[in-house]
């Protein structure tokens, strides 16, 4: 079995644990493999490792219930993809900062803001050249372009809303 260690940043950042109904895992660094989740206790096959109430999850329904988004009206919200609704919800919560009343979502956004993630969407064109010939080079560029195009469409309709909540193309890609 690979050696694991708790990353100090991870243990502090696991502030969401109180919102889990079941939590038998924690963030860890696996030597030679990287970051992941490690069981905190012995578990049996089929036993739950982690469970969070749906009301604490980022969903399109939760986004539509967000007062700022709900004010846009059902017709407009129904025309926005679920993924974009969730991204907009995350960014509205982010813009509220410490005034956000939903502590679970506020803490989750703070955790996301403080964490270092790297996905292919973060890679520069030069970095992606290393993947030339693989589907991943094309997928990363296509996904980035799709998200950028979707943001441009949202900007045409929701320009003032996006400005009010400090939502830019970069923050939309982040979310």
């Amino acid at each position: 079995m690979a050696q694991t260690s708790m990353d100090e940043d991870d243990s502090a950042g696991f502030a969401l644990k109180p919102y889990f109904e079941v939590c038998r895992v924690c963030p860890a660094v696996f030597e030679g493999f990287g970051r992941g989740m490690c069981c905190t206790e012995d578990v049996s096959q089929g036993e739950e490792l982690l469970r969070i109430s749906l009301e604490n999850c980022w969903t399109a329904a939760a986004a539509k219930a967000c007062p700022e988004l709900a004010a846009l009206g059902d017709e407009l919200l129904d025309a926005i993809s679920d993924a974009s609704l969730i991204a907009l919800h995350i960014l509205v919560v982010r813009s509220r900062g410490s005034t956000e009343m939903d502590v679970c979502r506020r803490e989750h956004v703070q955790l996301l803001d403080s964490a270092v993630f790297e996905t292919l969407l973060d890679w520069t064109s030069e970095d992606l050249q290393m993947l030339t010939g693989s589907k991943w080079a094309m997928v990363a560029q296509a996904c980035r372009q799709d998200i950028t195009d979707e943001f441009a469409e949202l900007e045409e309709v929701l320009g003032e809303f996006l400005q009010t909540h400090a939502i830019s193309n970069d923050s939309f890609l982040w979310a």
Side-chain angles (χ1 to χ4, degrees):
M1 180 177 221
Q3 291 289 328
T4 62
S5 65
M6 277 294 288
D7 184 335
E8 287 181 31
D9 292 335
D10 285 337
S11 60
F14 209 52
L16 296 175
K17 188 173 181 175
Y19 304 102
F20 299 139
E21 295 170 350
V22 173
C23 184
R24 293 185 177 97
V25 294
C26 68
V29 176
F30 293 84
E31 191 176 316
F33 296 95
R35 297 165 51 113
M37 298 299 279
C38 177
C39 285
T40 58
E41 61 189 70
D42 290 340
V43 293
S44 301
Q45 183 176 351
E47 194 171 359
E48 287 182 322
L49 301 178
L50 182 69
R51 179 175 12 119
I52 185 168
S53 169
L54 188 58
E55 70 185 30
N56 286 327
C57 293
W58 298 102
T59 64
K64 288 178 178 184
C66 168
E68 291 88 338
L69 288 166
L72 297 173
D74 289 339
E75 186 176 338
L76 184 56
L77 293 179
D78 288 342
I80 299 173
S81 72
D82 287 356
S84 289
L85 283 172
I86 292 167
L88 290 171
H89 188 197
I90 290 169
L91 293 168
V92 166
V93 169
R94 185 187 202 194
S95 76
R96 289 181 193 153
S98 62
T99 65
E100 172 59 45
M101 298 302 290
D102 183 332
V103 179
C104 179
R105 284 193 171 80
R106 180 181 69 220
E107 289 184 5
H108 188 213
V109 169
Q110 288 171 346
L111 175 64
L112 292 172
D113 261 340
S114 68
V116 178
F117 296 102
E118 183 180 349
T119 70
L120 290 178
L121 291 176
D122 300 313
W123 285 27
T124 65
S125 297
E126 294 80 30
D127 291 335
L128 288 171
Q129 285 179 351
M130 291 187 298
L131 300 176
T132 299
S134 79
K135 71 176 182 179
W136 298 111
M138 294 181 299
V139 167
Q141 290 172 332
C143 284
R144 184 179 191 80
Q145 190 59 53
D146 285 348
I147 294 168
T148 299
D149 291 347
E150 182 142 3
F151 181 78
E153 290 174 19
L154 290 172
E155 203 167 28
E156 288 178 22
V157 178
L158 302 176
E160 186 177 329
F161 175 88
L162 299 175
Q163 286 180 345
T164 299
H165 299 287
I167 299 173
S168 65
N169 186 60
D170 287 341
S171 65
F172 193 71
L173 275 165
W174 171 85

